[in-house]
Amino acid sequence: MEVFRIRGGSPLRGKVRASGSKNATLPAFAAALLTPEPCVIENVPDLSDVRFMAEILQHLGAEVEDLGSGSWKITAGDLSSQAPYELVRKMRASICLLGPLIGRLRQARVALPGGCVIGQRPIDLHLKALTNLGCAVEVDAGDILVDAKGLHGADLFLGGRHGSTVTGTANALMATVLAPGVTHLESAACEPEIADLCRMLVAMGARIENTGGHRLTIHGVKSLGGCHHRIIADRIEVGTYCIASAITGGDVSVVGADASHLGAFLDKMEQSGLCFDQQNGSLRTFIDPSGLRPIELTTLPYPGYPTDLQAQACALACIGPGPSILTERVYPNRFMHAPELSRMGAEIAIEGSSAIVKGNARLSGAPVMASDLRASAALILAALAAEGDTWVQRIYHLDRGYEVFDKKLRSLGAEIERLPADALPETIQSNPSELGST
Ligand code: EPU
């Protein structure tokens, strides 16, 4: 296992290129299973989650070729309908294999993905949708078993207690593009990653109306063909660099950012003292001369403030004036970063589904543990603003979703090194058997 040593205090400056979106790539790879013809997917980020997905597709019988420079070719000839636990447990997003397997093969056996530190992540809405589409669904020995011989179009409502479901919408879409009849998806997730999936499916020959909206209409077709599809820029990665710029008092431009996907984020951050300048496809961030202001935000499904940028905003709130209030409406317990930020000198109280951040903290470097992808990013951002050295452990969480994060940060002037675990000072070496579950 590797660790990061970060020495804080250098303002980040310069330009960095946005990578392709992880959360658009994973369903796009799954969608390639809907046709025996080759699909070429471009702007794919080099991430461990993408490699996990490629491995699962290969296990299912697809040919998966990394063509280099972010292009991948997937040809799904003869397929198996079974995705076993050993592979699925590595990545929750493998749940979005259900839709294409059902659409293409009319049957699927996909292992339930298991627990997750960011909170309960049930799949009841996925299963309800499949049942309404005429599938027989049962859970057997930890696997979801679907018999989809009776698959047909239907009217589906996809809203739940916490709003719409992103991968649930992806599954329903991929199951219905090849289902006989017409499907109306009400309360569909309208995240840019879902609109991107619709774009790919339409390029493959699917008939989908109102893409990007909350009410999608799908006219099932008999078969789909191959496509060339370019993945959108990763809006969460872009937002993370905007906060990295502000938290270090720097001036960073993200090239290839699509600011139209970041409306609520830009609005909240502007209210909190960040300035943005959009020019020629790049998004520049610096702090308003009057300084930072307290942050008040609530995470919501798109177009609301994204939950995947809450932990990073929490890191910023620690150094700005307080009190800041960050409320989670998507994952009410997604505050695993708070105790680790407190170890660096932040004062954060969790009350229900809100983090109350006192602010004006002088952060100091400390050994910290990453608990999940976005918490890892938040700790690294805090470390960049802290005095002294921070050691971040369990950085494999970060490698799941940020392409060459340390290299990109170094190109902006950050002092961050990726080191083998045995480089940790002896006083902070942890015994692997003591590590909690991830
Ligand atoms: N939910 C249900 N029942 C369901 C499905 C979801 O109650 O059947 C609840 C969840 O528990 C949560 C809310 O609905 O409270 C939203 O969950 P959603 O299904 O939308 O999340 P997801 O599809 O599993 C994707 C992203 C997450 C991101 C969320 C929310 C991918 C691969 N993952 O997850 O990304 O946080 O949408 O935007 O697209 C990340 O990248 O760090 C990450 C966790």
Side-chain angles (χ1 to χ4, degrees):
M1 272 200 273
E2 294 172 317
V3 297
F4 282 140
R5 181 174 63 194
I6 300 160
R7 177 156 299 167
S10 313
L12 302 191
R13 293 189 194 286
K15 289 186 181 170
V16 68
R17 178 163 287 283
S19 295
S21 159
K22 164 183 84 83
N23 289 346
T25 299
L26 300 174
F29 269 38
L33 298 180
L34 284 162
T35 175
E37 293 181 15
C39 291
V40 176
I41 305 176
E42 293 167 8
N43 202 29
V44 172
D46 184 12
L47 301 171
S48 57
D49 268 10
V50 171
R51 290 189 291 274
F52 286 148
M53 188 55 116
E55 214 181 298
I56 301 176
L57 297 191
Q58 278 166 334
H59 173 90
L60 292 170
E63 248 180 62
V64 184
E65 285 172 78
D66 178 353
L67 304 176
S69 308
S71 289
W72 290 65
K73 182 167 154 191
I74 301 168
T75 314
D78 289 337
L79 284 181
S80 145
S81 59
Q82 307 204 1
Y85 184 59
E86 309 88 85
L87 294 174
V88 166
R89 73 185 173 83
K90 292 186 185 171
M91 190 180 60
R92 288 196 58 86
S94 37
I95 191 71
C96 66
L97 293 163
L98 263 183
L101 289 176
I102 288 166
R104 173 93 184 268
L105 303 175
R106 297 295 193 262
Q107 59 177 352
R109 181 171 199 130
V110 175
L112 278 159
C116 176
V117 293
I118 68 176
Q120 277 197 340
R121 296 181 76 180
I123 53 157
D124 54 311
L125 299 171
H126 301 237
L127 303 188
K128 185 182 96 174
L130 297 180
T131 308
N132 290 351
L133 290 167
C135 303
V137 181
E138 62 175 293
V139 174
D140 175 53
D143 292 349
I144 308 158
L145 253 165
V146 185
D147 175 345
K149 283 194 280 295
L151 184 71
H152 55 73
D155 288 356
L156 301 181
F157 179 76
L158 276 178
R161 217 154 51 97
H162 300 288
S164 47
T165 160
V166 178
T167 45
T169 301
N171 261 334
L173 267 166
M174 292 191 278
T176 53
V177 284
L178 289 175
V182 179
T183 300
H184 295 293
L185 290 187
E186 293 281 359
S187 196
C190 59
E191 268 66 6
E193 295 74 20
I194 292 294
D196 200 46
L197 173 64
C198 287
R199 227 166 30 87
M200 172 165 167
L201 292 170
V202 168
M204 293 167 77
R207 288 183 56 209
I208 306 171
E209 286 169 21
N210 196 27
T211 59
H214 274 303
R215 185 171 200 270
L216 302 174
T217 301
I218 299 122
H219 300 265
V221 295
K222 288 225 155 57
S223 64
L224 295 175
C227 70
H228 266 79
H229 176 70
R230 186 172 174 82
I231 297 289
I232 52 171
D234 193 319
R235 64 192 167 106
I236 306 303
E237 187 206 28
V238 172
T240 303
Y241 285 111
C242 294
I243 296 182
S245 179
I247 204 168
T248 60
D251 188 337
V252 171
S253 294
V254 187
V255 179
D258 188 340
S260 72
H261 294 162
L262 282 162
F265 169 79
L266 298 178
D267 182 59
K268 281 294 159 201
M269 291 297 117
E270 263 169 1
Q271 287 170 26
S272 312
L274 272 61
C275 295
F276 297 102
D277 185 13
Q278 296 173 48
Q279 268 179 30
N280 308 325
S282 93
L283 179 64
R284 175 179 167 218
T285 309
F286 51 98
I287 295 183
D288 187 280
S290 64
L292 291 172
R293 295 186 281 277
I295 300 177
E296 201 173 328
L297 64 82
T298 299
T299 67
L300 288 169
Y302 192 82
Y305 187 96
T307 173
D308 294 339
L309 283 169
Q310 179 264 115
Q312 301 88 321
C314 190
L316 179 65
C318 295
I319 64 148
S324 288
I325 305 176
L326 296 89
T327 302
E328 259 295 338
R329 289 267 184 269
V330 180
Y331 297 112
N333 301 315
R334 193 179 198 179
F335 295 111
M336 301 292 285
H337 45 283
E340 298 300 299
L341 290 171
S342 300
R343 301 192 68 256
M344 300 174 73
E347 286 187 56
I348 307 173
I350 305 299
E351 289 184 12
S353 56
S354 295
I356 323 286
V357 186
K358 189 168 173 217
N360 288 324
R362 278 194 60 190
L363 299 179
S364 55
V368 290
M369 289 279 182
S371 56
D372 66 87
L373 172 57
R374 308 304 169 188
S376 321
L379 296 178
I380 293 167
L381 298 185
L384 293 172
E387 258 177 48
D389 284 0
T390 296
W391 291 86
V392 186
Q393 298 184 64
R394 301 193 198 167
I395 60 171
Y396 52 87
H397 288 296
L398 186 95
D399 294 333
R400 300 182 68 147
Y402 286 92
E403 188 176 45
V404 293
F405 196 46
D406 44 327
K407 197 170 156 199
K408 284 184 173 180
L409 287 174
R410 264 195 307 279
S411 76
L412 297 170
E415 288 190 56
I416 174 167
E417 281 179 285
R418 182 184 286 264
L419 299 167
D422 59 14
L424 276 171
E426 242 170 59
T427 47
I428 53 176
Q429 295 259 0
S430 57
N431 174 347
S433 66
E434 291 166 1
L435 301 183
S437 65
T438 56

